[in-house]
Amino acid sequence: MKLNWGVWIYGLGSGFIGGGAGSIGAGFGGMMTDPTDFTTAHPHHLLVLMGWTFLFSGAITAMAYLAKSPLPQIENPVAPVGK
C-alpha cells in the first residue's frame, strides 16, 4: 500500500496559507480600529498583529483540512495497458 503524500502535504500547506491570508484583512482592521498604534509609522505593531493572525488563522484552517483528510489517500496502481 502506497500513500499519496505529495497531494496531502500540498493540501495541508495550501490550507495553512489560505487561512493565513486573512492576516492582511486583520492588519487593515487594526489600522481602522486603532490608527495610533497600528499604522505604517509603527510597522512593528502592524507586522506583529499580522504575524500572529497569520499563524492562528492558518493553523485553524490546516486543522480543518486534517479533519476532512486525516491521512493521505492510497495511490491506485496504474493497470497495465491491454489488460
Side-chain angles (χ1 to χ4, degrees), residues 14-50:
S14 66
F16 180 78
I17 292 170
S23 65
I24 302 296
F28 285 122
M31 288 170 55
M32 299 303 276
T33 305
D34 188 3
T36 57
D37 287 328
F38 300 107
T39 178
T40 54
H42 302 287
H44 175 73
H45 293 150
L46 187 60
L47 292 175
V48 168
L49 171 67
M50 291 172 69

Side-chain angles (χ1 to χ4, degrees), residues 1-17:
M1 175 172 63
K2 189 172 180 185
L3 300 177
N4 195 347
W5 286 98
V7 172
W8 186 74
I9 291 173
Y10 180 84
L12 186 62
S14 66
F16 180 78
I17 292 170

